Amino acid sequence: MDIVAECPVDPESAPNAQPDPEVLTATGDLLRALAAPVRISIVLELMHSELCVHQLVDALGVTQPLVSQHLRVLKSAGVVRGERNGREIIYRLVDDHLAHIVVDAVAHATERAGA
């Protein structure tokens, strides 16, 4: 998965420019949706491959109801989408930007922990 993002905010050309309030609100909603360790783990798992709930349960070592609850939050925030395949729903990330956000946050936390 190629994790490259274009940022619409260029600090070099417009240091005082702010995105529209609606964009800031949507950004806050997205960050809140990602602000739980289980949801971060789900995103990290889904950046490697599409998975169904029972695969996420096995990978994360948490209960099925907990995974389903967190998937509902991520789905409503537009982070993941599910596609029915027989009796299962296969989940995937909506786009690579979301993996980029989580990978950068984990890298930052890892650096801070080592400092």
Side-chain angles (χ1 to χ4, degrees):
M1 179 178 284
D2 184 25
I3 304 175
V4 177
E6 295 270 338
C7 181
V9 178
D10 181 4
E12 298 295 322
S13 65
N16 295 324
Q18 288 287 318
D20 292 335
E22 300 85 32
V23 171
L24 293 174
T25 298
T27 303
D29 292 344
L30 173 63
L31 292 174
R32 274 188 294 284
L34 294 171
V38 172
R39 292 195 289 265
I40 292 168
S41 294
I42 289 171
V43 171
L44 291 172
E45 289 294 326
L46 293 178
M47 67 182 265
H48 298 294
S49 65
E50 303 168 349
L51 299 169
C52 63
V53 172
H54 76 84
Q55 291 170 313
L56 286 166
V57 167
D58 292 344
L60 303 177
V62 296
T63 66
Q64 181 273 324
L66 185 62
V67 169
S68 294
Q69 175 186 354
H70 285 294
L71 283 168
R72 274 192 298 278
V73 171
L74 292 171
K75 190 173 179 182
S76 69
V79 175
V80 302
R81 68 173 172 255
E83 184 176 306
R84 184 163 293 283
N85 184 12
R87 292 177 47 155
E88 297 180 324
I89 298 176
I90 306 298
Y91 290 92
R92 67 180 52 91
L93 294 178
V94 170
D95 62 41
D96 291 347
H97 293 111
L98 302 164
H100 181 73
I101 291 166
V102 172
V103 167
D104 283 352
V106 170
H108 179 75
T110 302
E111 291 168 2
R112 302 260 315 152

